[in-house]
Amino acid sequence: MSTLDVTAIKADFPILSTTVRGGHRLVYLDSGATSQKPTVVLDAERNYYEQHNAAVHRGAHALAELATEDFEAARVTIAGFVGARAKDLVFTKNATESLNLVSYAFSNATALNNRGAGLIDPRFVLNPGDSIVITEMEHHANLIPWQEVCRKTGATLRWIPLTDEGRLDLTHLEDLIDHTTKVVSVVHQSNILGTINPVKMLMDRAHAVGAIGIIDGCQSVPHMPVDVHHLGADLVAWSGHKMLGPTGIGCLWGTEEILEAMPPFITGGSMIQMVEMEKSTFAPPPQKFEAGTPVVAQAVALAAGARYLEKIGMSAVADHEFELAEYTVDALNALVGVRIIGPANAHERGSAVSFVVDGLHPHDVGQVLDSRGVAVRVGHHCAWPTCRRFAVPSTTRISPYIYNDTSDIDEAIDGIVAAQEFFGVK
Amino acid sequence: MDLESLYQDIILDHYKHPRGKGLLDRPMGSAFHVNPTCGDEITVQVNQDPQGGLIIGYDGQGCSISQASASVLVELIHGETIEKSEEIRKAFLEMMHAQGAGDPNEDILGDAIAFAGVAKFPARVKCALLSWMALQDAEIQAGLLTTGEGA
Ligand SMILES: Cc1ncc(COP(=O)(O)O)c(C=O)c1O
């Protein structure tokens, strides 16, 4: 049973009391794309700018000290949210940048190694004959960077295929992740299918063949308790804006050892130890990966979001979402002419549920829902190959969060029926 | 918001009963366009009869707006000269970029005038324009048009 007081939670999110499209109550079911922000997050960002704003990690004045303290305290909070130490948490712009930071470690290490430029950790050096393994349900953010690494290094991209139910088909896992594999990078919870993947097992398999294991935690960190140490990964990437935080901040957690071994991605100020005209040395992680003025206000605000979630309790959040997932799946299954793309039951799945309506294009479904104030996502959800796998050009997706209850799902379901009636496909 | 202003009867009719759908045998020009945000696809093909009239073929899949727009396109452009095709295409583009203001010319646009309401929905303008962009490319490929006009 969900223990969340959704009415009280809703009241903490100013945007949820607004109306859209001519007076309709906003029913926001697009949190898989980005979450809404509670007042505490907005206040944290504002307070920071009003009281402590200064350049961090430099300058000797009072504000510089306060700003630096705020920033590093935020790092402790956000790292703690996933059971990690602050020094192992890197701030980026978003999860996409986090994953690029990692993929560039491989292409940069390979380029440096091929030039004989110093001691390069061989685990990051890719050659033709090496393989990178992902899944067929990756967000483009965990697909295109690896395609690019393969183009640059000659390594081969492999992917774990999907079953018709929308789960990983692990039948040939031992052949897919083999002695040639140097990277295994997989999504924890699919943003399009909702599937929760057995990442621990996949990371163990990666390590068994000496590969580096990476997890895209974009849809898991905001929605369930995540302790990075239990996932068994070397690196975990996620975005702040999907977990109540502001846009403009992403996270990358890595083991101390891996972050030490990785070459930097973006270079410049703030990431150096010593600089001469000919060459430079780099600061230890996380600063090594945070060139330029960092995302200070965003970190402070994201920390407030993390504290808000911790107060509710991530187990309670996960229970609540399980209930919504079950309710949504059951309601969609009960509709004639509607087919879920992804697991059609609540077992090992998140609350994001994609579906198609016979005879109706998702754009048109979304439009009818929008006319009733219901915000859902339509399209390929940045997982175009996944759509292709299920032979659909795109889907409609309902993705609720802590501020949604079953009445919001009901609104969406009513809207789907209304769309069927409007277009005469029922 | 009233759905009827977006989904005019004419649009729904073209969506449910597309006119002239199908590809040509040996097109002079053919262009495949996708809307990368939603995956809608359209192929528009062009031939020219000896009198200079355009022959249009198309195929595609997508939302009601993109598919109805392609159907209307065929109805309007089929048999017209390249000059007339350009006049219609430019009028359509102008209407779609007018955000619901403007004064579209029904004499030129015919059934396409029904898309005036779509211009008020920024997210759907791309859907409506998809086939018209493909038409331009197909005409360029056919050598009937030089690059860089309109859009
Ligand atoms: C599973 C997954 N991976 C990666 C991303 C990319 O996140 P961002 O756009 O914040 O970089 C998203 C967000 O859409 C996602 O859902």
Coordinates of all heavy atoms in Angstrom, one line a residue, chain A residues 32 94-96 139 141 187 189 191 216 218-219 239 241-242, ligand 1:
Chain A
G32 N 8.8 11.1 -16.8 CA 9.9 10.4 -17.4 C 10.8 11.3 -18.2 O 12.0 11.1 -18.3
N94 N 24.2 17.1 -17.8 CA 23.0 16.2 -17.8 C 23.6 14.8 -17.9 O 24.8 14.6 -18.1 CB 22.0 16.5 -18.9 CG 22.7 16.7 -20.2 OD1 23.6 16.0 -20.5 ND2 22.1 17.6 -21.0
A95 N 22.7 13.8 -17.9 CA 23.1 12.4 -18.1 C 23.8 12.2 -19.4 O 24.7 11.4 -19.5 CB 21.9 11.5 -17.9
T96 N 23.3 12.9 -20.4 CA 23.9 12.7 -21.8 C 25.4 13.1 -21.7 O 26.3 12.4 -22.3 CB 23.2 13.6 -22.8 OG1 21.8 13.2 -22.8 CG2 23.7 13.4 -24.2
H139 N 18.3 4.5 -24.4 CA 18.1 5.9 -24.8 C 19.2 6.2 -25.7 O 20.3 5.8 -25.6 CB 18.1 6.7 -23.5 CG 17.7 8.1 -23.7 ND1 18.5 9.1 -24.2 CD2 16.5 8.8 -23.5 CE1 17.9 10.3 -24.3 NE2 16.7 10.1 -23.8
A141 N 21.0 8.5 -25.7 CA 22.2 9.0 -24.9 C 23.2 7.9 -24.5 O 24.3 8.2 -24.3 CB 21.7 9.7 -23.6
V187 N 21.0 0.3 -19.6 CA 20.0 1.2 -18.9 C 19.4 0.3 -17.7 O 19.1 -0.8 -17.9 CB 18.9 1.7 -19.9 CG1 18.0 0.5 -20.4 CG2 18.0 2.7 -19.2
Q189 N 16.6 1.2 -15.8 CA 15.1 1.1 -16.0 C 14.8 1.9 -17.3 O 15.2 3.0 -17.5 CB 14.4 1.8 -14.9 CG 12.9 1.8 -15.1 CD 12.1 2.3 -13.8 OE1 12.5 2.0 -12.7 NE2 11.1 3.2 -14.0
N191 N 13.3 4.0 -20.2 CA 12.4 5.2 -20.2 C 11.2 4.9 -21.2 O 10.2 5.5 -21.0 CB 13.2 6.4 -20.6 CG 13.7 6.4 -22.1 OD1 14.4 5.4 -22.5 ND2 13.3 7.3 -22.9
D216 N 23.1 3.4 -17.0 CA 22.3 4.6 -17.2 C 21.2 4.6 -16.1 O 20.3 3.8 -16.3 CB 21.8 4.6 -18.6 CG 20.8 5.8 -18.8 OD1 20.5 6.5 -17.9 OD2 20.4 5.9 -20.0
C218 N 19.2 7.0 -15.2 CA 18.3 8.2 -15.4 C 16.9 7.9 -14.8 O 16.2 8.8 -14.2 CB 18.1 8.5 -16.8 SG 19.3 9.8 -17.3
Q219 N 16.4 6.7 -15.1 CA 15.0 6.4 -14.7 C 14.9 5.6 -13.4 O 13.8 5.2 -13.0 CB 14.3 5.7 -15.8 CG 14.2 6.5 -17.1 CD 13.2 7.7 -17.0 OE1 12.4 7.7 -16.1 NE2 13.4 8.6 -17.9
S239 N 20.5 12.1 -14.4 CA 20.2 13.5 -14.6 C 19.5 14.1 -13.3 O 18.7 13.4 -12.7 CB 19.3 13.8 -15.8 OG 20.0 14.0 -16.9
H241 N 17.4 16.8 -13.4 CA 16.0 17.3 -13.6 C 14.9 16.3 -13.6 O 13.7 16.7 -13.6 CB 16.0 18.1 -15.0 CG 16.2 17.2 -16.2 ND1 15.1 16.7 -16.8 CD2 17.3 16.7 -16.8 CE1 15.5 15.9 -17.8 NE2 16.9 15.9 -17.8
K242 N 15.2 15.0 -13.6 CA 14.2 14.0 -13.5 C 13.9 13.6 -12.0 O 13.1 12.8 -11.8 CB 14.6 12.8 -14.3 CG 14.7 13.0 -15.8 CD 15.2 11.8 -16.5 CE 15.7 12.0 -17.9 NZ 14.7 12.2 -18.9
Ligands
LIG1 C1 17.1 6.3 -19.7 C2 17.5 7.7 -20.1 N1 18.8 7.9 -20.4 C3 19.3 9.1 -20.7 C4 18.5 10.2 -20.7 C5 19.1 11.5 -21.1 O1 19.0 12.4 -20.1 P1 19.3 14.0 -20.3 O2 18.5 14.4 -21.5 O3 18.9 14.7 -19.1 O4 20.7 14.1 -20.6 C6 17.1 10.0 -20.4 C7 16.2 11.2 -20.4 O5 15.4 11.4 -21.3 C8 16.7 8.8 -20.1 O6 15.4 8.6 -19.8

